Amino acid sequence: MAADTAQAPQKTAKVSFGTLSMMVVGSMVGAGVFSLPARFGEATGIWGALIAWGIAGAGMLMLAFVFQSLAVRKPKLDAGVYAYAKAGFGQYIGFFSAFGYWASACVGNVLYWVLIMSTIGAIAAPLGHGDTLLAVLLSSVGLWLFFFLIRRGVKEATAINRIVTVAKLVPILVFIVLAVVFLKPAVFVDNLAGAPHLGSLYHQVTGTMLVTVFVFLGVEGASVYSRHARRREDVGRATVLGFLGVLAVFASVTIVSYGILPLDQIAHLRQPSMAGVLEEAVGTWGKVFVSVGLIISVLGAYLAWTLMAAEVLFVAAKDDDMPRFLGRANAADVPTASLLMTTILSQIVLVVTLFSENAFDFVLDLTSALTLIPFLLVAGYAVRIAVTGDGYDAARTGLRRDLIIGSLATIYTAFLLYAAGVKFILVSLIIYAPASVLFAMARREQGRRVFSPAELVVLAVSVAGAVVGVVALALGWISI
């Protein structure tokens, strides 16, 4: 261990600016990009899409800068996203942040299975759009196979990661090039303003916000690459360059699709909708090409995301923010209890998809909504330390810049919560509220008072929201 620590500075000094930029890109490009054409097609036209990507790009870049700044100002807070919420707003809020971030990863893993089954469902009708009983059963088998695989200690596979990186980037870039080549100007012009039934431009733009959050998940990881940088100034440059590159890819995938099919046809494509667009442009081989690339990408990424989700609970337990049993690891150094809880929640959400109107959209939107509270708390913490000057030198170097960036990131994430709508806030609270049992268990293990008066208020609000959510679902006021 000591030897590894001693060698760490040498290893980080060898990472170039170009490599650092690609690390940023790799953390953000995932399965969500394959769904962009239909998700945007059902919400807006080209003008709305351009505005939406402008807002999302600016907002997420501010959030990336927040994580980067906090990594510098608060280097000791290295226990994950929730550590900032805990430091800024107390242990209970930090617990909620940890749980929400973990839950979003679990729900996001369900999206992978829905997407795989929907992809195969194009040639195997019984799988439908990934939401049939057979699809859920097969997904459940895959879910538990991965559980037992990871439990045995399968953590990393460099060769697999290389294959996954190529598998997800090549189809996307080929798609963009071919869509440009086969773009139909008349169709593109017809899709500029969208359709009357989509409502006002404002309504169209807000309708795309959750999917933009989903595809940018991973932006919070950009700051961790600072330790790999050859020069400290490379971190900010790599973050900006990598982020802008990813933004250009996401926006390009969305915009070029409008030049291949009419808006109503794009909106009704099955997921992954990128495959349907390319099939229209070049024929069946295009659909197969995208579908195969997606399945390889998703299966490879699933391993990393499952480990990340389990690690969130494990680290929180080590910090006494979760019950001790979640901090146990087996002989292979795998957090088995956390991994089991991760798999169980994913299984529950898989079953829930059977009762949703659109399994893919529901899981994607819920994943995004669950991440918003942790992100909002991080942005709020950045504002707080900028206002108080905590973590800054006597000259308060960079404070004004950090205050502006933190404020913009806070406004952006608050807007996202508003755009998510009451439905997903209530559904999120249904997931959040029962988690307080874990917090109470952790407090009792430490022999501490379970809830302070302020924490009781937070508990009451979360439980009330969850009750309203359950009642709203039962009475049909909202639907999933």
Side-chain angles (χ1 to χ4, degrees), residues 239-262:
T239 298
V240 174
L241 181 63
F243 181 87
L244 292 178
V246 170
L247 174 61
V249 168
F250 291 164
S252 296
V253 167
T254 306
I255 301 304
V256 297
S257 299
Y258 287 112
I260 302 298
L261 286 166

Side-chain angles (χ1 to χ4, degrees), residues 299-321:
L299 286 177
Y302 183 85
L303 179 66
W305 272 94
T306 302
L307 281 167
M308 187 275 287
E311 197 70 13
V312 171
L313 291 185
F314 179 75
V315 173
K318 289 297 185 183
D319 284 351
D320 295 326
D321 294 318

Side-chain angles (χ1 to χ4, degrees), residues 54-336:
I55 294 173
M60 281 296 179
L61 185 59
M62 293 302 102
L63 202 54
F65 282 148
V66 163
F67 281 105
Q68 181 186 333
S69 173
L70 289 177
V72 174
R73 306 296 177 192
K74 296 291 180 179
K76 293 182 179 180
L77 297 179
D78 58 357
V81 171
Y82 83 94
Y84 300 127
K86 178 183 176 181
F89 307 102
Q91 190 174 11
Y92 189 38
I93 297 298
F95 165 83
F96 264 130
S97 181
F99 185 85
Y101 194 66
W102 166 75
S104 71
C106 296
V107 178
N109 274 348
V110 173
L111 181 86
Y112 285 153
W113 291 113
V114 172
L115 196 53
I116 289 172
M117 293 301 156
S118 178
T119 302
I120 301 174
I123 57 173
L127 296 179
H129 292 270
D131 54 359
T132 64
L133 180 59
L134 178 61
V136 170
L137 288 174
L138 291 176
S139 296
S140 299
V141 171
L143 189 73
W144 288 100
L145 281 176
F146 267 92
F147 167 77
F148 288 111
L149 178 68
I150 296 170
R151 188 173 179 270
R152 294 182 61 183
V154 179
K155 283 193 169 184
E156 294 179 334
T158 304
I160 291 178
N161 287 337
R162 283 198 295 265
I163 293 171
V164 168
T165 300
V166 173
K168 67 185 178 183
L169 289 178
V170 170
I172 295 169
L173 297 177
V174 169
F175 170 87
I176 294 172
V177 171
L178 290 177
V180 170
V181 170
F182 290 94
L183 187 141
K184 305 169 186 174
V187 174
F188 189 82
V189 171
D190 287 342
N191 288 334
L192 281 172
H197 72 274
L198 296 177
S200 66
L201 187 59
Y202 172 79
H203 181 75
Q204 293 179 40
V205 171
T206 56
T208 67
M209 286 295 100
L210 285 181
V211 70
T212 62
V213 173
F214 183 83
V215 295
F216 277 127
L217 290 181
V219 66
E220 70 277 9
S223 62
V224 304
Y225 301 137
S226 58
R227 63 189 178 90
H228 296 286
R230 181 176 297 164
R231 297 174 300 179
R232 181 165 294 275
E233 58 266 29
D234 284 349
V235 177
R237 292 169 55 211
T239 298
V240 174
L241 181 63
F243 181 87
L244 292 178
V246 170
L247 174 61
V249 168
F250 291 164
S252 296
V253 167
T254 306
I255 301 304
V256 297
S257 299
Y258 287 112
I260 302 298
L261 286 166
L263 194 64
D264 61 332
Q265 292 185 38
I266 296 176
H268 290 92
L269 288 173
R270 70 180 298 122
Q271 296 293 3
S273 53
M274 186 189 291
V277 173
L278 195 57
E279 180 183 30
E280 173 67 20
V282 301
T284 304
W285 75 265
K287 178 179 180 180
V288 174
F289 178 66
V290 170
S291 298
V292 171
L294 176 139
I295 291 175
I296 295 173
S297 174
V298 166
L299 286 177
Y302 183 85
L303 179 66
W305 272 94
T306 302
L307 281 167
M308 187 275 287
E311 197 70 13
V312 171
L313 291 185
F314 179 75
V315 173
K318 289 297 185 183
D319 284 351
D320 295 326
D321 294 318
M322 290 282 181
R324 290 171 188 156
F325 78 92
L326 292 173
R328 297 170 186 163
N330 63 11
D333 197 30
V334 175
T336 48

